[in-house]
Amino acid sequence: MSDLVKQLEQRNAELEQKVVELTQNLESKEEQLQDSLSELHRLKNHMVQMEKMTMLGQMISGISHEINNPINFIYGNLPYVDEHVEDLCSVIEAFQDAYPNPEESVEDTIEEVELDYILEDLPRIMGSMKVGAERIRDLVLTLRHFYRLDEPDMKEASLEEGLENTLVLLNNRTKQNVEVEREFAGIPKVECYINQLNQVFMNLLNNAIDALLEKAENSSEKRGEKNKITVKTEKVDDNAIAIYISDNGPGIDPEIQSRIFEPFFTTKPMGVGTGLGLSISHKIITETHHGEMTFSSTPGEGSTFTVKLPLSQPKDAQNSGSQGSQSKQSAVV
């Protein structure tokens, strides 16, 4: 009887062990399934963002083209208008010299239209119109250079020009409360998808501005401290360059630093951030361009994001990249 009890106990222990193993295996499969579903969800959202960015880029390219034609017409004619205005002013001054005592009706008209003020103000108006036309033209060119949808292949491009174009587009956010310091070293051109890198720069600079604005709301304005972003370039060696984007914002909490490049992770309020920007930027740098993206941050002092890129890409990267470049270029950051 005792042997039978022992056998039953042993059999029961084996069954319990088998149940534990099956349960662990089921939990492992369930975890793998959850990981697969999360990855599928991430890819789905990535594709949606890519499609949105493609449509945005195409729209901006079309708008830029439509604006560029009339603004070039206006800008091209301004010198002639300016010259004609000067000639007309000269004629009026000559008449005034030749007829210092005009008839009463003419004198009344001169006083009514305030001719002296017109002759003084008209050159200033022409100068303002010229400056305005130049700014619109420069902005249109910047938009076209920023997206570069007409360049689907990997090509050599100036990253410093890309950084400058991005800063121009962000001027409205930085001109009031943020000082931007450029430390460009004249780095050589890099073989890349320039519009992808422009989007990475846009993301990093936008994040830096957000951090500074958050700091301004809390304490920096009270201490009179300037909000500052430093954009620095450097040639690391004969085969690589580096870009450093630093801010003196509040820094990143050490508890979340390990999650910075994690998809869908964000510290921004609901509806403000998607949590995809740094994740996609990291993939653009590390996977598409075979570079490195790292960061360092000290709470209360600020953060620095570092992007290191090779000057040229491996041949296999160029070939594989060209096949899917249209969609890759449009990755949202």
Side-chain angles (χ1 to χ4, degrees), residues 312-331:
S312 58
Q313 295 292 320
K315 293 296 183 183
D316 57 341
Q318 296 176 34
N319 294 334
S320 61
S322 62
Q323 294 174 3
S325 60
Q326 288 286 356
S327 60
K328 286 183 178 180
Q329 287 185 82
S330 303

Side-chain angles (χ1 to χ4, degrees), residues 94-125:
F95 268 101
Q96 286 178 324
D97 291 339
Y99 300 97
N101 300 307
E103 294 183 3
E104 185 176 345
S105 60
V106 176
E107 187 69 33
D108 290 342
T109 302
I110 290 174
E111 290 181 5
E112 184 179 346
V113 301
E114 299 182 1
L115 182 60
D116 291 340
Y117 175 75
I118 291 175
L119 294 176
E120 179 184 348
D121 194 47
L122 199 53
R124 286 201 296 263
I125 293 174

Side-chain angles (χ1 to χ4, degrees), residues 54-321:
T54 299
M55 293 174 64
L56 178 62
Q58 291 172 347
M59 181 180 70
I60 288 178
S61 179
I63 291 173
S64 298
H65 179 74
E66 292 300 321
I67 293 176
N68 200 46
N69 289 334
I71 202 63
N72 279 339
F73 174 78
I74 294 170
Y75 186 80
N77 280 290
L78 277 175
Y80 302 107
V81 175
D82 194 27
E83 184 180 339
H84 296 335
V85 167
E86 288 183 7
D87 291 341
L88 289 173
C89 288
S90 299
V91 171
I92 292 172
E93 290 172 358
F95 268 101
Q96 286 178 324
D97 291 339
Y99 300 97
N101 300 307
E103 294 183 3
E104 185 176 345
S105 60
V106 176
E107 187 69 33
D108 290 342
T109 302
I110 290 174
E111 290 181 5
E112 184 179 346
V113 301
E114 299 182 1
L115 182 60
D116 291 340
Y117 175 75
I118 291 175
L119 294 176
E120 179 184 348
D121 194 47
L122 199 53
R124 286 201 296 263
I125 293 174
M126 292 302 304
S128 297
M129 291 172 63
K130 185 178 180 181
V131 170
E134 285 177 346
R135 286 181 180 175
I136 295 172
R137 189 181 64 165
D138 290 344
L139 180 58
V140 169
L141 289 174
T142 299
L143 285 169
R144 297 184 72 174
H145 290 158
F146 181 80
Y147 280 95
R148 300 280 276 275
L149 293 174
D150 55 335
E151 295 186 9
D153 298 325
M154 190 172 279
K155 294 183 179 180
E156 286 191 345
S158 169
L159 301 192
E160 291 178 343
E161 180 183 333
L163 285 164
E164 191 62 50
N165 288 336
T166 308
L167 288 170
V168 169
L169 293 178
L170 290 173
N171 182 62
N172 192 52
R173 298 198 70 198
T174 61
K175 65 182 180 182
Q176 294 181 350
N177 301 315
V178 179
E179 176 185 337
V180 179
E181 183 176 296
R182 298 161 174 80
E183 297 181 9
F184 292 168
I187 57 175
K189 291 184 176 182
V190 172
E191 192 173 29
C192 63
Y193 297 115
I194 185 59
N195 68 326
Q196 284 191 36
L197 296 185
N198 282 342
Q199 292 167 25
V200 172
F201 302 152
M202 176 69 79
N203 178 262
L204 295 179
L205 288 165
N206 255 325
N207 285 350
I209 294 169
D210 288 341
L212 291 174
L213 295 179
E214 176 188 341
K215 183 180 180 181
E217 289 178 0
N218 296 332
S219 60
S220 67
E221 288 185 345
K222 297 177 182 177
R223 298 198 305 266
E225 181 181 355
K226 281 188 176 180
N227 296 319
K228 185 177 179 181
I229 292 175
T230 302
V231 183
K232 179 181 177 181
T233 62
E234 176 187 32
K235 185 177 180 182
V236 179
D237 53 43
D238 290 340
N239 299 313
I241 58 89
I243 296 167
Y244 310 92
I245 297 178
S246 306
D247 66 73
N248 62 342
I252 303 171
D253 190 332
E255 294 182 359
I256 65 170
Q257 289 189 12
S258 62
R259 303 185 64 190
I260 285 299
F261 297 124
E262 182 180 312
F264 303 109
F265 175 76
T266 179
T267 59
K268 296 177 181 178
M270 182 71 69
V272 176
T274 63
L276 285 170
L278 284 175
S279 172
I280 295 176
S281 295
H282 188 265
K283 285 183 177 292
I284 288 173
I285 297 301
T286 59
E287 295 182 10
T288 307
H289 291 86
H290 299 83
E292 299 176 17
M293 178 183 281
T294 57
F295 74 94
S296 60
S297 183
T298 304
E301 296 183 13
S303 306
T304 297
F305 278 80
T306 301
V307 172
K308 292 183 179 178
L309 292 166
L311 293 181
S312 58
Q313 295 292 320
K315 293 296 183 183
D316 57 341
Q318 296 176 34
N319 294 334
S320 61

